[in-house]
């Protein structure tokens, strides 16, 4: 029980910091939807999609190998750290240089505009973000939670304030958003310079270690690439088929639905080091079962809560504007579909111990490649018939297939006795409540009423004692944090 308590505690601390950084674009939604048109918002998200693909190229799987070998008890930890950072620095300079040289070409073909300045901003963002992210990972491994959290907060606040002032008061438009993000990554990089020096000044650069890092990490590169194709290719397909306006509306709904992804990222920050650490213990599978089952039940419950209140949330007034601009309210229909897709991705994540602990990482590209290929095919078909809703359903089906693939295959490697019957029952009941809600007139009173009824059902199914026990554990974790 102590190890499980520590897991949730660390996941909460590191999760909040990391999710805040990744949620910058979410915090900027009121700015996007009130200060920009649908077309301009579409171009903003196309730029961020390019940055996301760029991050995969810059990392090329080395984040996983760094996490695997840069351990506190490792004899060659210092050399691993120095070798990893030098490799990252060299590849980042080269890739940023390539992006800079081909900025005009990238701008025309990916954004449909002559805006090479945006691409140059992207090159800078990628360089500083990727390097500082590696140092942030080292802080997680060293369990320097306070430093990690403070730097994350400073990064987020600087980005948000700079973007807001440049767009609202100085009329920088999309450039203002990108300058704000670039400034935030530079600030984080500066704050991490002492930690960077601490890693680079110890150990020696080793070709043997470099080969070991590449050998372990490179199989994760295609897996990460396929995941990004699955996650973001729909933006470009919508852009090419329906235009930037559709991308703008779709991206707002997708971003709100991807609140689930922020939770998964926070969970996985603690989950991955945790299962690597205790994977060889005798009762590891039972520990995984308790954590994974509880995590999926929480994810499903939050799905209901988000759907019941998103209509009200979008229409909250901020002065003369709504929190989500009226022009983007059509994105509400996408939120439930996208969130449910991530529930299946959460199921995929809790089955990952079987890949890491039994060194089956070569299967990871196959799982994600299947999802990515299916996603592209379904998007090409569905978008033409059902537009944005079709793209959302393509994402849901792709994540569902990816989960079923690893669910079937992982049983041959490591049988973790997750309580799938309880999870499935909870999912079906929640789906029924969401369906009923979608058929009714949406008001604050109805959202409140159906939320209360839903959680009474959860209480009856899950059990009062179990909920009280989990609540006490959660309160204890929050107090510790």
């Amino acid at each position: 029980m102590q190890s499980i308590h520590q897991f949730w505690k660390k996941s909460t601390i590191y999760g909040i910091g990391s999710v805040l950084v990744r949620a910058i674009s979410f915090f900027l939604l009121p700015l996007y939807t009130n200060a920009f048109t649908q077309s301009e918002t579409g171009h903003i998200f196309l730029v961020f999609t390019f940055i996301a693909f760029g991050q995969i190229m810059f990392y090329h799987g080395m984040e996983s190998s760094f996490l695997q070998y840069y351990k506190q008890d490792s004899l060659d930890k210092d050399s691993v750290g120095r070798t990893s950072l030098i490799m990252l620095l060299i590849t980042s300079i080269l890739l940023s240089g390539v992006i800079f040289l081909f900025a005009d070409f990238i701008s025309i073909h990916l954004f449909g505009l002559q805006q090479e300045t945006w691409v140059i901003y992207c090159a800078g963002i990628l360089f500083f973000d990727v390097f500082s992210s590696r140092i942030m990972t080292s802080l997680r491994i060293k369990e320097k939670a306070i430093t990690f959290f403070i730097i994350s907060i400073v990064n987020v606040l600087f980005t948000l304030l700079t973007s807001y002032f440049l767009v609202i008061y100085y009329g920088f438009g999309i450039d203002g958003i990108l300058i704000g993000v670039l400034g935030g990554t530079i600030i984080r990089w500066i704050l991490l310079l002492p930690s960077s020096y601490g890693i680079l000044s110890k150990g020696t650069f080793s070709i043997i270690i470099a080969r070991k890092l590449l050998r372990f990490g490179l199989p994760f590169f295609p897996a990460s690439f396929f995941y990004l194709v699955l996650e973001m290719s729909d933006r470009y397909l919508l852009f090419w088929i329906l235009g930037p306006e559709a991308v703008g509306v779709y991206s707002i709904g997708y971003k709100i639905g991807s609140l689930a992804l922020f939770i998964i990222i926070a969970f996985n920050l603690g989950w991955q080091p945790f299962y690597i650490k205790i994977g060889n213990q005798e009762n590891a599978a039972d520990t995984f079962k308790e954590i994974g089952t509880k995590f999926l039940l929480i994810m499903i419950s939050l799905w209901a809560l988000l759907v019941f209140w998103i209509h009200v949330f979008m229409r909250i007034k901020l002065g003369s504007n709504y929190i989500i601009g009226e022009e983007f309210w059509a994105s509400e229909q996408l939120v439930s579909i996208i969130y449910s897709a991530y529930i299946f991705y959460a199921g995929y994540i809790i089955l990952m111990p079987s890949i890491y602990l039994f060194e089956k990482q070569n299967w990871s590209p196959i799982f994600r490649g299947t999802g990515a290929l299916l996603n592209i095919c379904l998007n090409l078909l569905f978008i033409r018939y059902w537009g944005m809703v079709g793209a959302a359903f393509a994402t849901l089906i792709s994540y569902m297939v990816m989960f079923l693939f690893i669910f079937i295959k992982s049983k041959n490697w490591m049988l973790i006795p997750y309580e799938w019957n309880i999870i499935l029952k909870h999912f079906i009941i929640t789906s029924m409540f969401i369906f009923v809600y979608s058929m009714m007139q949406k008001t604050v009173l109805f959202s409140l009423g159906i939320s209360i009824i839903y959680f009474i059902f959860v209480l009856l199914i899950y059990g009062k004692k179990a909920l009280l026990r989990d609540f006490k554990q959660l309160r204890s974790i929050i107090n510790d944090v």
Side-chain angles (χ1 to χ4, degrees):
M1 286 298 296
Q2 184 64 24
S3 63
I4 295 174
H5 180 84
Q6 288 297 316
F7 163 77
W8 288 114
K9 179 176 142 184
K10 289 179 182 178
S11 293
T12 303
I13 295 172
Y14 294 115
I16 290 172
S18 292
V19 166
L20 282 175
V21 174
R22 288 174 169 84
I24 286 172
S25 59
F26 181 80
F27 295 138
L28 289 170
L29 287 183
L31 183 62
Y32 294 158
T33 58
N34 289 290
F36 297 104
T37 65
Q38 291 180 350
S39 178
E40 288 170 331
T41 303
H43 282 109
I44 290 171
F45 279 97
L46 287 173
V47 171
F48 282 126
T49 300
F50 171 72
I51 291 173
F53 275 103
Q55 285 174 327
I56 297 301
M57 301 301 295
F58 277 64
Y59 283 132
H60 51 275
M62 291 298 100
E63 194 76 358
S64 296
S65 60
F66 181 75
L67 190 64
Q68 177 76 6
Y69 294 113
Y70 189 75
K71 299 175 182 176
Q72 294 285 58
D73 56 353
S74 174
L75 295 176
D76 57 356
K77 183 189 75 171
D78 293 335
S79 295
V80 168
R82 182 183 174 92
T83 302
S84 177
L85 281 191
I86 290 174
M87 291 169 66
L88 183 65
L89 186 62
I90 293 170
T91 55
S92 297
I93 291 172
L94 291 173
L95 290 172
S96 294
V98 170
I99 293 173
F100 180 83
L101 290 173
F102 292 94
D104 187 59
F105 177 86
I106 293 170
S107 173
I108 293 172
H109 287 82
L110 293 185
F111 309 146
L113 296 172
Q114 189 80 33
Q115 289 286 357
E116 61 270 14
T117 307
W118 295 354
V119 182
I120 293 171
Y121 289 142
C122 291
I125 290 168
L126 285 165
F127 177 83
F128 290 107
D129 178 68
V130 169
F131 192 84
S132 58
S133 292
R134 183 65 53 85
I135 308 302
M136 292 291 277
T137 301
S138 74
L139 294 181
R140 277 171 49 210
I141 295 171
K142 295 173 183 177
E143 299 186 353
K144 294 186 177 181
I146 301 301
T147 304
F148 184 96
F149 187 75
I150 290 173
I151 291 174
S152 298
I153 291 292
V154 171
N155 178 15
V156 171
L157 289 177
F158 184 91
T159 300
L160 293 178
L161 292 173
T162 304
S163 299
Y164 181 82
F165 279 103
L166 289 178
V167 172
I168 299 300
Y169 293 104
Y170 294 97
F172 271 59
I174 295 175
D175 291 74
I177 298 290
L178 295 175
I179 292 170
V181 175
L182 176 60
T185 58
I186 292 174
I187 289 294
R188 185 171 71 159
W189 177 76
I190 291 171
L191 292 174
L192 289 166
L193 281 176
S195 298
S196 304
Y197 177 77
I199 294 175
L200 288 169
S201 62
K202 297 176 182 177
T204 57
F205 180 85
S206 168
I207 296 295
I208 295 174
I209 290 176
R211 288 174 179 169
K212 184 166 70 171
L213 292 171
L214 288 168
R215 189 163 52 248
F216 183 87
L218 282 179
F220 289 97
F221 170 61
S224 299
F225 178 77
F226 288 140
Y227 170 71
L228 256 293
V229 171
L230 169 59
E231 179 70 16
M232 293 187 165
S233 60
D234 49 6
R235 314 308 195 280
Y236 282 111
L237 292 171
L238 278 167
F239 174 60
W240 292 324
I241 296 172
L242 299 180
E245 293 81 5
V247 178
V249 176
Y250 178 80
S251 297
I252 298 302
Y254 200 106
K255 182 58 67 175
I256 297 172
S258 68
L259 277 170
L261 182 60
F262 297 150
I263 300 167
I264 292 169
I265 290 169
F267 172 81
N268 200 39
L269 284 170
W271 179 238
Q272 191 176 26
F274 179 77
Y275 64 66
I276 290 173
K277 182 178 179 180
I278 75 156
N280 293 325
Q281 295 180 10
E282 186 176 347
N283 62 341
D286 291 330
T287 302
F288 297 158
K289 178 199 78 171
E290 183 170 345
I291 293 172
T293 300
K294 192 173 295 183
F295 177 59
L296 279 183
L297 292 174
I298 291 170
M299 288 290 294
I300 295 168
S301 299
L302 291 176
W303 177 33
L305 194 62
L306 177 65
V307 173
F308 296 159
W309 289 97
I310 188 58
H311 182 84
V312 176
F313 169 79
M314 282 185 163
R315 288 156 179 80
I316 294 173
K317 276 272 192 176
L318 294 175
S320 60
N321 296 314
Y322 294 99
I323 199 165
I324 299 296
E326 193 171 355
E327 198 177 351
F328 295 85
W329 285 354
S331 63
E332 180 186 339
Q333 62 186 320
L334 308 173
V335 174
S336 178
I337 304 169
I338 297 302
Y339 190 105
S340 62
Y342 283 121
I343 291 174
F344 288 98
Y345 183 55
Y348 177 90
I349 290 297
I350 66 170
L351 291 170
M352 285 296 286
S354 61
I355 290 180
Y356 268 86
L357 298 177
F358 291 86
E359 297 187 358
K360 301 293 184 180
Q361 60 265 31
N362 290 334
W363 275 90
S364 190
I366 299 173
F367 295 140
R368 298 193 178 194
T370 301
L373 181 61
L374 181 62
N375 185 253
I376 291 173
C377 294
L378 291 178
N379 268 299
L380 289 171
L381 178 64
F382 288 2
I383 289 173
R384 296 184 186 278
Y385 288 98
W386 301 296
M388 296 181 295
V389 175
F393 272 112
T395 299
L396 170 59
I397 294 169
S398 300
Y399 273 115
M400 191 184 301
V401 168
M402 194 171 78
F403 162 73
L404 291 173
F405 196 174
I406 192 174
F407 175 78
I408 293 168
K409 194 65 186 173
S410 64
K411 289 182 177 180
N412 298 325
W413 303 327
M414 182 180 189
L415 186 61
I416 305 174
Y418 293 119
E419 297 178 66
W420 295 113
N421 289 336
I422 295 175
I423 294 167
L424 181 61
K425 182 167 65 174
H426 192 41
F427 183 85
I428 292 171
I429 291 172
T430 302
S431 300
M432 292 169 62
F433 268 87
I434 289 173
F435 177 75
V436 170
Y437 173 79
S438 68
M439 295 292 106
M440 307 297 286
Q441 186 176 359
K442 299 173 180 63
T443 64
V444 175
L445 284 177
F446 184 68
S447 294
L448 181 62
I450 197 169
S451 298
I452 293 171
I453 295 170
Y454 171 74
F455 282 106
I456 289 173
F457 262 79
V458 172
L459 182 65
L460 292 173
I461 293 168
Y462 194 46
K464 183 178 177 181
K465 289 184 179 179
L467 281 177
L468 287 174
R469 184 190 67 233
D470 292 344
F471 177 76
K472 289 178 181 178
Q473 185 180 6
L474 177 62
R475 187 174 63 182
S476 174
I477 291 166
I478 292 171
N479 288 336
D480 287 345
V481 172

